[in-house]
Amino acid sequence: MVPPLWLLAAGGWIAVAAGLRRGLSGQARRAALIAHVMTAPGVVLVCATLGFGFLYATVALTAEWWALIVATRLRPERLVASGSPSRLAVWSALAAVALLGGTQLVHLAPPG
């Protein structure tokens, strides 16, 4: 169950990075891409510091990235554009549903 999760996470990460690179320009693009690149190592560091398992953090990140892709139609900058509270609500709801579904899949997977 873990390798497909990693593939989904990597695919979502790459798709969001491509959307940020394409949709933004100048300093905004640079700042957004730096923050996006630092997300994965930052989560690993936080999980290691707190002693919390990285598997559930990976499920959460994967759910958030794919929900962002769906809610913004591959244009992540739309999430913070003016007049986008409805898009933010859709992203939050999709991420929550995907997180619950992903967590259930992890719990149902046979050990080994």
Side-chain angles (χ1 to χ4, degrees), residues 20-49:
L20 290 171
R21 184 169 163 77
R22 182 188 68 233
L24 299 173
S25 62
Q27 286 290 88
R29 176 193 294 174
R30 185 173 179 209
L33 286 174
I34 288 172
H36 185 64
V37 166
M38 295 307 294
T39 300
V43 170
V44 171
L45 181 62
V46 167
C47 290
T49 301

Side-chain angles (χ1 to χ4, degrees), residues 2-95:
V2 174
L5 176 63
W6 287 342
L7 290 174
L8 276 173
W13 187 89
I14 289 169
V16 171
L20 290 171
R21 184 169 163 77
R22 182 188 68 233
L24 299 173
S25 62
Q27 286 290 88
R29 176 193 294 174
R30 185 173 179 209
L33 286 174
I34 288 172
H36 185 64
V37 166
M38 295 307 294
T39 300
V43 170
V44 171
L45 181 62
V46 167
C47 290
T49 301
L50 297 177
F52 185 69
F54 184 64
L55 179 62
Y56 294 106
T58 304
V59 171
L61 285 174
T62 304
E64 290 171 8
W65 286 328
W66 283 103
L68 180 66
I69 292 165
V70 170
T72 62
R73 290 185 228 125
L74 292 172
R75 305 238 355 206
E77 74 277 2
R78 290 179 177 173
L79 193 65
V80 294
S82 63
S84 64
S86 60
R87 194 169 275 131
L88 182 60
V90 168
W91 172 69
S92 297
L94 286 173

